[in-house]
Amino acid sequence: MTEPQEQAKSSVFTLSEEQIREHYNVKDYTERVYKEIRQPHGVASNADFYRQENGVRVPNITFLRLHLYHEGRLTEDQVIFLLRRVTEIFTQESNVLRLSAPITSGYRGFSIVETIA
């Protein structure tokens, strides 16, 4: 080990859990540190997420907009349902461009390459 590495290693220190609690004035790790910030919503229930429209199960857009605005979460099945539904809608649209990957775009000397699957 070289001298600068030894000096850097000797200057590194770690704080104990008690020192961290004392420094940040944390009494309990289960409490929210910033109580004035609203806590995120939990996972959306299927009863709230879906609604029936003419006998067809569709997402409840009003609920979904508010739920995601408040940083709520969705289950994997709910996300897959949304992705499949959006795919159905976009495949029926006549004004959607069908492009093959990779798509490149240049801006002021920079090149951005995106792969669209």
Side-chain angles (χ1 to χ4, degrees):
M1 199 176 289
T2 65
E3 188 176 327
Q5 288 175 337
E6 289 175 10
Q7 289 175 351
K9 188 175 181 181
S10 65
S11 65
V12 175
F13 63 94
T14 57
L15 297 174
S16 68
E17 185 175 332
E18 186 60 38
Q19 290 170 321
I20 293 171
R21 283 183 180 209
E22 200 174 289
H23 177 74
Y24 290 105
N25 197 20
V26 175
K27 294 175 180 60
D28 185 7
Y29 286 128
T30 60
E31 291 183 18
R32 290 181 59 81
V33 177
Y34 299 104
K35 293 177 178 65
E36 60 275 2
I37 297 175
R38 185 184 312 221
Q39 189 168 6
H41 287 195
V43 176
S45 69
N46 285 338
D48 291 331
F49 180 79
Y50 298 108
R51 65 181 177 85
Q52 293 292 326
E53 187 175 285
N54 299 327
V56 178
R57 189 169 74 162
V58 296
N60 184 346
I61 301 301
T62 307
F63 166 77
L64 193 55
R65 183 178 295 144
L66 283 172
H67 184 70
L68 294 177
Y69 176 78
H70 292 291
E71 301 179 23
R73 296 182 180 181
L74 301 175
T75 65
E76 184 177 346
D77 291 336
Q78 292 167 345
V79 172
I80 290 172
F81 176 83
L82 284 175
L83 291 173
R84 286 185 178 152
R85 185 70 182 116
V86 167
T87 302
E88 289 173 16
I89 292 169
F90 280 131
T91 54
Q92 295 172 0
E93 288 292 323
S94 61
N95 63 348
V96 175
L97 295 176
R98 310 241 185 260
L99 305 172
S100 57
I103 296 174
T104 61
S105 172
Y107 176 74
R108 293 189 188 181
F110 296 102
S111 179
I112 301 168
V113 178
E114 294 180 31
T115 302
I116 301 177

